[in-house]
């Protein structure tokens, strides 16, 4: 997208402005005002170079540092890139691997690292600061439980979908599990309980005979009834409510 030696013919300043504005908001939210200010100036610069693009890599570094899920495409032998994990990006990378004759399972990884320990940081700051007057702490409202993707397995997801007669796409389920869509059902038999996990294009479980599909699921397919959950984030929220 950058003009210099990258894609001069297809460069659009509006695209660069969009990237700068989104990145600037990110750095403001993470208390990095210097980069946010630089991005505001860079948004109107049509003559960009490689170092300008490299500064945006810090977004991925901060994402990684805080324990967020990341995607690694490539390998240590030939080179690789790391980007924030999004189901749509994962599907796009898998599609490109297939088109170029590569195995997505070998070239794409979803990973994360534990985020920084707030307790350790607080303890270090307290030890370096003067001892304040000790007062009873004010009561704080209970915090909502954090959403943990690792708590979900394919059998758990299929059981809830079957219980509530809810269809979800392979991509949505794979996004919750943190795996590639084409490998989400690997090793699973075609049974009515798993027939609620369907293809995005037609809402039908791939490769199933009518007798292997749950009767209610088959009715929804034939009568074009019932919603199909196609988003990993929405499916995760639905699982939290249903579970």
């Amino acid at each position: 997208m950058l003009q210099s030696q990258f894609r001069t013919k297809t460069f659009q300043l509006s695209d660069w402005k969009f990237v700068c504005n989104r990145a600037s908001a990110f750095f403001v939210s993470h208390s990095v005002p210097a980069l946010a200010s630089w991005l505001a100036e860079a948004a109107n610069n049509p003559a960009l170079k490689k170092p300008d693009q490299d500064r945006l890599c810090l977004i991925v570094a901060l994402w990684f540092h805080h324990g967020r899920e990341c995607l690694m495409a490539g390998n240590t032998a030939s080179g690789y890139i790391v980007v924030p994990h999004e189901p749509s990006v994962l599907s796009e990378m898998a599609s490109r691997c297939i088109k170029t004759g590569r195995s997505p399972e070998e070239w794409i990884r979803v990973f994360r690292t534990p985020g920084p320990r707030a307790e350790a940081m607080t303890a270090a700051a307290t030890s370096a600061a003067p001892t304040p007057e000790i007062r009873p702490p004010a009561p704080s409202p209970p915090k909502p439980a954090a959403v943990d993707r690792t708590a979900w397995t394919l059998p758990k997801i299929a059981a809830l979908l079957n219980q509530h007669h809810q269809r979800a796409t392979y991509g949505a389920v794979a996004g919750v599990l943190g795996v590639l869509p084409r490998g989400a059902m690997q090793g699973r038999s075609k049974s009515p309980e798993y027939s609620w996990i369907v293809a995005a294009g037609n809402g039908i479980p791939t490769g199933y005979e009518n007798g292997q599909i749950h009767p209610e699921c088959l009715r929804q397919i034939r009568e074009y009834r019932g919603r199909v959950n196609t988003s990993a984030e929405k499916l995760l929220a639905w699982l939290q409510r249903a579970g």
Side-chain angles (χ1 to χ4, degrees), residues 194-240:
Y194 284 100
S195 66
W196 295 97
I197 304 175
V198 300
N202 54 19
I204 301 174
T206 303
Y208 278 64
E209 302 291 340
N210 286 348
Q212 297 171 318
I213 302 176
H214 190 288
E216 173 59 25
C217 183
L218 189 60
R219 187 180 72 87
Q220 290 184 15
I221 294 170
R222 288 174 172 173
E223 299 179 5
Y224 298 97
R225 300 180 64 177
R227 298 180 61 183
V228 180
N229 201 321
T230 60
S231 165
E233 295 303 324
K234 291 182 179 179
L235 174 59
L236 185 59
W238 181 88
L239 290 169
Q240 293 293 329

Side-chain angles (χ1 to χ4, degrees), residues 183 185-189:
M185 302 296 293
Q186 187 173 3
R188 301 290 174 178
S189 60

Side-chain angles (χ1 to χ4, degrees), residues 82-144:
V82 175
V83 297
H85 174 216
E86 289 291 341
S88 59
V89 177
L90 178 63
S91 298
E92 176 65 19
M93 287 184 175
S95 176
R96 293 187 182 185
C97 281
I98 295 171
K99 288 181 180 179
T100 56
R102 295 178 173 86
S103 172
E105 290 79 5
E106 297 177 0
W107 285 83
I108 305 174
R109 297 286 185 274
V110 178
F111 69 98
R112 67 164 59 182
T113 59
R117 295 185 59 185
E119 297 86 356
M121 296 173 66
T122 302
T126 303
S127 63
T131 303
E133 179 185 357
I134 299 177
R135 296 181 180 180
S140 57
K143 297 181 179 180

Side-chain angles (χ1 to χ4, degrees), residues 35-216:
L35 278 178
S37 176
W38 172 82
L39 283 164
E41 298 178 1
N44 296 309
N45 179 14
L48 302 168
K49 297 181 180 180
K50 183 65 166 57
D52 298 318
Q53 184 187 40
D54 290 342
R55 297 193 188 193
L56 299 184
C57 295
L58 183 58
I59 292 179
V60 181
L62 287 171
W63 190 272
F64 178 82
H65 174 68
H66 287 286
R68 305 287 186 87
E69 286 187 340
C70 294
L71 283 176
M72 171 182 170
N75 55 46
T76 55
S78 60
Y80 60 89
I81 62 171
V82 175
V83 297
H85 174 216
E86 289 291 341
S88 59
V89 177
L90 178 63
S91 298
E92 176 65 19
M93 287 184 175
S95 176
R96 293 187 182 185
C97 281
I98 295 171
K99 288 181 180 179
T100 56
R102 295 178 173 86
S103 172
E105 290 79 5
E106 297 177 0
W107 285 83
I108 305 174
R109 297 286 185 274
V110 178
F111 69 98
R112 67 164 59 182
T113 59
R117 295 185 59 185
E119 297 86 356
M121 296 173 66
T122 302
T126 303
S127 63
T131 303
E133 179 185 357
I134 299 177
R135 296 181 180 180
S140 57
K143 297 181 179 180
V147 175
D148 185 6
R149 291 174 182 265
T150 61
W152 294 105
T153 63
L154 183 57
K156 288 183 180 180
I157 294 174
L160 279 176
L161 294 175
N162 182 59
Q163 178 183 346
H164 294 276
H165 294 171
Q166 170 67 52
R167 282 181 289 168
T169 63
Y170 296 109
V173 173
V176 173
L177 296 174
V179 300
L180 296 174
R182 61 180 300 187
M185 302 296 293
Q186 187 173 3
R188 301 290 174 178
S189 60
K190 294 179 174 61
S191 64
E193 184 176 43
Y194 284 100
S195 66
W196 295 97
I197 304 175
V198 300
N202 54 19
I204 301 174
T206 303
Y208 278 64
E209 302 291 340
N210 286 348
Q212 297 171 318
I213 302 176
H214 190 288
E216 173 59 25

